[in-house]
Structure formats: structure tokens, C-alpha cells
């Protein structure tokens, strides 16, 4: 048969419940702080990755363009989902072209014999992005790139060598 609780046992029981309740509140607070911190961390990592991808895409286009011997070898054409940078070069006496363009959410590159018919699907996928816009004004190539998070970056390159109108003159 159980004895009824005296005042001392009742007080210990209530103290134990208070300690347990405080511990539960502390645990819930810790979990909330951890979850909010994880959310902030994920957003920072996503933004960092996005900025890295934009910078890498810009550097890639700049490096490809700088390989051209003359500004007249670089042009902007319509290909894929919009604009493309076309770089022509002579390899063993034959004319080849490289296209750097955007198609179906990817920055792509396509190297081909300049006389061949090509499709945007033929290009090699390099990086995910949402848009690539290019314009060429004499020897100034302007390239704007937007990533999948809709951050964007624009660069302007001064092409070395002679420009198309300088060659024709």
C-alpha cells in the first residue's frame, strides 16, 4: 500500500518538474538557434557559390576571347538561347570556330570546323546559368551573365589586335 506524499516529497516532486521544464525550454531554444543558424549558413553558401560561378563564367569567356589573335576573329552571333561569342582560328591551314553560348540553362562551348552545320545541343556543358548576353562595339566586347539565382555580372573586354573595320580599311 502506498503512503501519501508528505510536504517534503511534494516539494521535491515540484522542484524536479520545474528543472525538467526549464531543461525542455533550454533544449527547444538551442534547437531553434541551431536551425536558424543552419538556414543562414545555407543562404551564405548558396550566395558564395553563385558569385564563384559568375566569376568563373566571366573568366572563362575572357580567357577564350583573349586567345584570339585579332579582334576581327571575335564576333557576336545568335545561337542557342540568344547571343554567343564566336572565335575563329586557323589550325593547320583550316578555319575552325569556337562558340561560347547559353542553351537550356547551361553555359556551353562548341569547337567545330567553320564550314560545318552545328546544333546548340552539340556543345559541351560547362556551368549552369540562366542567361548570357553579348554585344560587340568595335574592339569592345560586353558580356553579361546571369546565374540560376539571378545574380548577374557584366564585363567589358578590349580585344587586342585589329578590329574588323580596321582590317577592311
Amino acid at each position: 500500500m502506498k503512503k501519501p506524499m508528505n510536504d517534503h516529497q511534494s516539494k521535491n516532486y515540484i522542484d524536479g518538474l520545474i528543472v525538467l521544464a526549464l531543461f525542455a525550454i533550454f533544449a527547444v531554444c538551442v534547437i531553434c538557434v541551431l536551425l536558424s543558424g543552419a538556414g543562414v549558413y545555407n543562404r551564405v553558401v548558396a550566395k558564395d557559390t553563385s558569385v564563384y560561378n559568375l566569376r568563373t563564367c566571366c573568366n572563362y569567356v575572357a580567357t577564350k576571347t583573349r586567345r584570339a589573335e585579332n579582334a576581327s576573329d571575335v564576333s557576336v552571333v545568335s545561337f542557342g538561347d540568344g547571343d554567343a561569342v564566336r572565335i575563329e582560328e586557323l589550325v593547320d591551314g583550316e578555319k575552325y570556330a569556337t562558340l561560347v553560348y547559353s542553351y537550356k540553362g547551361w553555359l556551353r562551348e562548341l569547337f567545330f570546323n567553320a564550314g560545318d552545320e552545328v546544333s546548340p545541343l552539340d556543345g559541351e556543358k560547362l556551368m549552369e546559368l540562366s542567361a548570357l548576353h553579348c554585344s560587340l562595339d568595335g574592339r569592345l566586347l560586353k558580356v553579361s551573365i546571369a546565374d540560376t539565382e539571378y545574380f548577374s555580372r557584366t564585363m567589358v573586354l578590349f580585344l587586342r589586335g585589329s578590329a574588323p573595320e580596321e582590317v577592311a580599311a
Side-chain angles (χ1 to χ4, degrees):
M1 194 187 256
K2 269 187 153 182
K3 288 200 243 177
M5 278 198 220
N6 62 26
D7 284 341
H8 183 65
Q9 288 175 329
S10 175
K11 186 174 182 317
N12 284 343
Y13 180 73
I14 291 173
D15 287 345
L17 284 178
I18 290 173
V19 168
L20 188 60
L22 287 174
F23 178 74
I25 291 170
F26 176 74
V28 167
C29 289
V30 167
I31 289 172
C32 289
V33 167
L34 286 174
L35 290 177
S36 68
V40 168
Y41 175 77
N42 284 336
R43 286 191 299 275
V44 167
V45 167
K47 185 174 181 184
D48 219 25
T49 301
S50 180
V51 169
Y52 170 79
N53 286 343
L54 280 175
R55 193 172 46 245
T56 302
C57 284
C58 285
N59 287 340
Y60 181 80
V61 173
T63 300
K64 281 294 185 182
T65 305
R66 287 182 183 130
R67 288 186 56 216
E69 290 185 22
N70 286 308
S72 59
D73 295 334
V74 178
S75 59
V76 174
V77 297
S78 181
F79 191 76
D81 289 336
D83 300 329
V85 177
R86 180 182 173 115
I87 303 131
E88 293 186 349
E89 61 185 296
L90 282 176
V91 178
D92 294 331
E94 287 195 54
K95 194 176 220 178
Y96 287 89
T98 300
L99 286 172
V100 179
Y101 61 99
S102 169
Y103 187 66
K104 295 195 178 201
W106 288 88
L107 178 68
R108 295 176 183 240
E109 177 189 354
L110 180 59
F111 180 76
F112 60 99
N113 190 313
D116 291 349
E117 287 288 321
V118 291
S119 162
L121 284 172
D122 295 337
E124 194 71 34
K125 290 180 182 178
L126 301 174
M127 289 190 128
E128 284 187 279
L129 61 89
S130 62
L132 173 72
H133 301 287
C134 308
S135 64
L136 186 61
D137 183 18
R139 291 169 58 176
L140 291 179
L141 175 66
K142 182 178 179 181
V143 179
S144 297
I145 297 173
D147 71 354
T148 55
E149 299 295 320
Y150 300 100
F151 291 105
S152 64
R153 187 172 202 150
T154 300
M155 69 174 174
V156 178
L157 297 170
F158 184 78
L159 303 174
R160 66 181 183 172
S162 50
E165 53 273 0
E166 294 171 4
V167 172

